[in-house]
Amino acid sequence: MDHKYLAELLFPDVKLTREELEERYPLRNLKEGAVVTRLAPSPTGFVHLGNLVQGLTAERMAHLSGGVLFLRVEDTDAKREVEGAIPILIESLGHYGIKFDEGETLNGDFGSYGPYRQSRRTDIYHVFAKELVEKGMAYPCFCTEEELSEMRAAQEAEKANFGYFGKWAVWRDRPIEDIKAVLNEGKTWVLRFRSAGSIENKIKFTDLIKGKLELTENEIDHVLLKSDGIPTYHFAHAVDDHLMRTTHVIRGDEWLSTLPFHIQLFSALGFKIPKYMHIGPLMKMDGTSKRKLSKRKDPELALTYYKGEGFPTESVYEYILTILNSNYEDWRRVNPDASPDDFPFSHKKMNPAGSLFDYAKLSDVSKNVISRMSAEKVCELFLAWAREFDPEFASAAEVDTEKLTRIFAIGRGGKKPRKDIARWADVKAYAGFFFDEFFSVKDEYPESFDKGDIAKTLTLFRDSYDIEADQNAWFDNIKAIAEECGFASDMKAYKAEPEKYRGSVADVSMFIRVAVTGSINSPDMYSVMQILGREKICERIDAMLQSI
Ligand code: GLU
C-alpha cells in the first residue's frame, strides 16, 4: 500500500507541515520543574465541583512551581455544546479564584499557544492525521452506523469483546482500489488508528496520583477523526497537549481506561508522553455506603448551588483544599491569618480513590472563613448575595448599612470570634430580628416560670435601661432587678440552694432576651441593645407585656 498516496487522497488540502507547527509553538522557556498544565472542560453549560477540584489542583501545581495554567475549551462535540456555556465556564472558574495565565477568555484567545478552542484547530489536527496515514498508522473506515451496529450485535452473539479490532476491523487492510472506489462514490469516512496493541500485553505506568499502574494494552482501532473531520477527544488531547507544551495532564479518572490508547498515540506521533494525574471522583455518603456525586441526584454538585446558598467563594475554595490535602486543616489552625495561597499544596497528599464531599464539613470551614472576615466585608458580600437571592431582606437590610455593619461586628475579632454564619442564607435566622419586618417572637417562655415574675422583671428593665451604661453597669442593673424580684444574682449561690430563689439572673436575662430578640439564642445582648436603641427595646418589651 502506498500510504503517501492514500494520505494525499484523504487530505489534499493539508499544506501546513509538522515542522512549521513545532516552530510556531516552541518549547516553553521555563525553569526546571515548572508545571505547564491546563483545564480542558467541555462547554456543556454545567460547571460542577469536579471542574473546581481539577482547576484548583492544576492551578496550585502550575503556580507553586513557577509554571503555566491555561484554559482550553474542548468543544469538539457540537451535540453536547450549550449556547452561552463558554462565558459561564470562564466566569464561574474566575469567580472561584482559578486564575489562568493563558487560554480562552471572554475576549477570545490570550497567549501564544492558541487557538485555545478545539473547534478552531481543525487544520492543525489534519496535519498530524495526514502524517499518521503516511506512516501507515491510520486509515479511513467507511462503515455505516448500521454496519457498526451489526458488528456489535455479532460480537454480542459470539461473546467477543466489543470494538473495532482484529477481524471486525474490516477497513484496516483494504486495498487502495477499494478505498478509491468508495471515495469516488462520495461515501463519508472516519479516520481510525491502526493499533499494534494486544490485550494479552500489559503496560506499566506511573500516575502521579494513582501511583504504579499495570494497564492492559489497547487493541481497538479507535476513531481519530469523525466523518466531519473533527477530532475525537483522544486525538485532540495528544495533538493539543503536545503543541501547547503541557507537562502535566490533570484530569478525571474516567479517562484512565483510555490511557493505554493515549500512550500509543503519543508514541505513534513521536510526542513526549506528559506526566498524568488522574483525580478520583467526588463521593458522598449515602446511608452507610459511599457513592459518586451525581448530577441527577445531588444539587450540591453544581457550582451554582453554592452561589444560591450564599457560601462565599473563599469558603468553597478552602473547603476544596481541605478535601484535596488532608493536612490543610492543621496548617490552617497554625496559620489562621495566612492566605490559602501560602499553603504548600502537594499532589502527593491527594487520595487516589477520590475525596468525600461532606456538607457539614463545608459549613464548618465556611463558618471559620466568615468569622475571619471584617464586618465590612461580611456586609458587602452578604448584601451582594441578598440582592440576588433574598431581595426583600436586602431592601430592609440595605436601608442602613452602618447598622448592618455593626450587627456583623458583634462577636467579631479577638481570639475566639463567633461562628454563627456558614452561608449568607443563615443571616436571616441569626440577625433578622434587628428588622421589624422579620421580627417575631419564636420562642415561648418555659411554663415553669410565673407570668407575674416575667412581667415584673421586664417592666423594671424597661424603666431602667440606660443606653449610656457600659456593659458592667448594664449587667449590674439586671442583677439588681433579679435580686429585687427574688431571683439569685449570683449563679454559685443559686446552684448551691436553688430552692431559695424563684430562679437566677440567667433566667431574668432570658426573659429580656426573648422579648427583645424573639428567641432564646441570640448574639450578645448588650451589643444587640446598643444597636436596637432604647425606643425599639421598650416597644418590644411593651408588646411582650401585652401578650403575656
Ligand atoms: N474535555 C474533557 C472533559 O471535560 C477533558 C479531559 C482532560 O482534561 O483531558 O472531561
Side-chain angles (χ1 to χ4, degrees):
M1 161 80 83
D2 183 347
H3 293 120
K4 253 197 140 46
Y5 176 74
L6 176 61
E8 216 40 61
L9 211 56
L10 296 176
F11 299 99
D13 300 328
V14 172
K15 298 288 176 262
L16 199 61
T17 64
R18 175 192 185 116
E19 289 66 35
E20 283 170 293
L21 288 171
E22 297 286 357
E23 214 170 290
R24 190 192 296 172
Y25 305 110
L27 288 176
R28 291 170 187 265
N29 193 6
L30 295 166
K31 69 172 202 228
E32 180 79 23
V35 171
V36 177
T37 189
R38 78 298 189 274
L39 194 63
S42 304
T44 59
F46 181 65
V47 193
H48 51 84
L49 219 47
N51 293 125
L52 202 53
V53 165
Q54 275 173 40
L56 201 154
T57 307
E59 192 275 339
R60 291 290 75 202
M61 293 285 294
H63 293 153
L64 287 174
S65 66
V68 174
L69 173 69
F70 63 87
L71 177 67
R72 181 170 72 224
V73 175
E74 305 218 319
D75 56 350
T76 54
D77 189 351
K79 274 189 260 103
R80 287 179 67 212
E81 185 163 346
V82 169
E83 176 94 23
I86 296 176
I88 293 178
L89 189 65
I90 295 173
E91 273 162 7
S92 317
L93 294 168
H95 184 67
Y96 281 96
I98 310 298
K99 306 228 168 24
F100 295 99
D101 305 296
E102 59 183 66
E104 176 78 15
T105 72
L106 291 177
N107 308 312
D109 276 344
F110 180 77
S112 353
Y113 289 80
Y116 295 94
R117 251 191 223 205
Q118 288 183 329
S119 58
R120 301 192 177 147
R121 300 173 62 80
T122 311
D123 55 334
I124 297 176
Y125 304 124
H126 285 199
V127 172
F128 292 95
K130 185 172 185 180
E131 184 186 299
L132 286 179
V133 177
E134 279 170 6
K135 293 200 283 194
M137 289 172 151
Y139 63 92
C141 162
F142 295 84
C143 284
T144 60
E145 276 305 318
E146 293 76 56
E147 285 166 334
L148 292 175
S149 313
E150 280 164 24
M151 174 188 88
R152 242 166 272 134
Q155 287 174 333
E156 204 163 358
E158 273 186 35
K159 295 198 166 37
N161 287 338
F162 289 127
Y164 199 90
F165 68 101
K167 71 169 181 181
W168 310 99
V170 291
W171 284 94
R172 186 176 160 113
D173 294 312
R174 285 291 259 274
I176 189 82
E177 292 71 31
D178 288 11
I179 296 175
K180 263 176 92 172
V182 278
L183 276 178
N184 282 338
E185 283 170 35
K187 274 204 172 172
T188 56
W189 50 275
V190 300
L191 190 73
R192 285 188 184 273
F193 180 63
R194 185 187 300 274
S195 172
S198 153
I199 54 165
E200 304 300 325
N201 302 333
K202 298 273 183 219
I203 50 167
K204 286 199 162 71
F205 191 81
T206 303
D207 181 276
L208 295 189
I209 295 178
K210 302 272 177 190
K212 285 197 168 68
L213 302 170
E214 216 178 72
L215 304 163
T216 304
E217 252 182 25
N218 166 55
E219 64 172 353
I220 311 281
D221 287 359
H222 285 295
V223 174
L224 301 177
L225 292 180
K226 294 176 264 184
S227 57
D228 51 7
I230 303 284
T232 53
Y233 164 76
H234 317 288
F235 189 46
H237 155 48
V239 172
D240 291 346
D241 282 317
H242 170 69
L243 291 179
M244 294 178 176
R245 308 300 177 186
T246 303
T247 61
H248 288 59
V249 171
I250 301 171
R251 62 184 182 186
D253 68 359
E254 65 275 20
W255 296 108
L256 209 50
S257 59
T258 37
L259 180 62
F261 171 41
H262 300 158
I263 294 173
Q264 273 178 320
L265 259 179
F266 274 83
S267 308
L269 289 159
F271 297 159
K272 180 169 182 236
I273 298 171
K275 294 200 163 63
Y276 281 91
M277 286 174 50
H278 287 93
I279 303 183
L282 278 172
M283 288 176 297
K284 76 183 251 183
M285 292 308 290
D286 197 353
T288 50
S289 55
K290 279 188 202 168
R291 66 163 172 78
K292 272 192 210 178
L293 276 182
S294 109
K295 183 172 169 180
R296 203 169 40 82
K297 291 193 212 155
D298 306 307
E300 66 268 36
L301 187 58
L303 284 191
T304 44
Y305 171 83
Y306 302 91
K307 192 167 180 223
E309 291 278 296
F311 280 106
T313 51
E314 291 93 328
S315 301
V316 179
Y317 186 91
E318 272 205 34
Y319 174 64
I320 303 278
L321 277 175
T322 63
I323 57 175
L324 288 181
N325 270 197
S326 50
N327 55 330
Y328 182 79
E329 278 179 279
D330 290 338
W331 176 85
R332 179 43 97 199
R333 235 168 270 131
V334 182
N335 302 281
D337 302 316
S339 154
D341 287 354
D342 298 336
F343 171 67
F345 180 88
S346 167
H347 64 276
K348 296 192 181 118
K349 294 262 190 297
M350 289 173 75
N351 185 342
S355 307
L356 192 63
F357 175 86
D358 175 0
Y359 190 89
K361 191 63 189 272
L362 165 67
S363 293
D364 269 1
V365 169
S366 189
K367 281 181 181 168
N368 281 319
V369 169
I370 294 177
S371 77
R372 288 194 301 268
M373 291 177 180
S374 69
E376 287 73 18
K377 179 157 185 196
V378 172
C379 185
E380 181 193 318
L381 293 180
F382 163 71
L383 279 179
W385 173 84
R387 280 183 203 117
E388 191 173 345
F389 296 98
D390 191 352
E392 204 195 346
F393 192 27
S395 14
E398 197 155 36
V399 173
D400 186 350
T401 48
E402 203 185 306
K403 171 179 163 184
L404 189 62
T405 311
R406 286 177 74 199
I407 293 172
F408 286 130
I410 299 176
R412 197 159 289 279
K415 277 221 151 55
K416 282 201 168 224
R418 281 191 72 108
K419 296 176 183 169
D420 302 275
I421 307 169
R423 2 159 256 163
W424 305 131
D426 295 338
V427 171
K428 207 182 211 163
Y430 170 68
F433 70 84
F434 278 102
F435 308 93
D436 283 344
E437 301 90 314
F438 304 103
F439 169 75
S440 63
V441 178
K442 297 187 180 69
D443 289 332
E444 284 179 11
Y445 291 125
E447 295 279 332
S448 53
F449 292 104
D450 180 83
K451 293 226 161 93
D453 282 348
I454 299 174
K456 193 167 168 201
T457 54
L458 288 181
T459 310
L460 285 170
F461 182 78
R462 180 198 62 194
D463 295 344
S464 60
Y465 177 67
D466 174 11
I467 197 156
E468 303 296 331
D470 68 15
Q471 186 143 10
N472 286 334
W474 170 84
F475 193 55
D476 284 345
N477 178 41
I478 298 180
K479 282 198 209 158
I481 293 171
E483 288 285 343
E484 193 176 334
C485 300
F487 287 70
S489 61
D490 176 44
M491 290 309 286
K492 261 208 198 118
Y494 176 67
K495 283 200 181 117
E497 294 172 293
E499 64 289 346
K500 274 181 65 183
Y501 302 96
R502 306 181 75 77
S504 76
V505 66
D507 300 319
V508 174
S509 297
M510 182 267 287
F511 301 157
I512 302 170
R513 186 183 290 273
V514 172
V516 174
T517 70
S519 121
I520 288 178
N521 294 310
S522 63
D524 174 59
M525 275 311 289
Y526 177 78
S527 313
V528 165
M529 290 189 180
Q530 290 287 311
I531 298 171
L532 281 175
R534 178 168 174 81
E535 203 179 317
K536 186 62 58 199
I537 296 166
C538 294
E539 186 187 308
R540 290 191 180 172
I541 291 180
D542 284 341
M544 183 57 96
L545 288 170
Q546 298 275 313
S547 71
I548 51 175

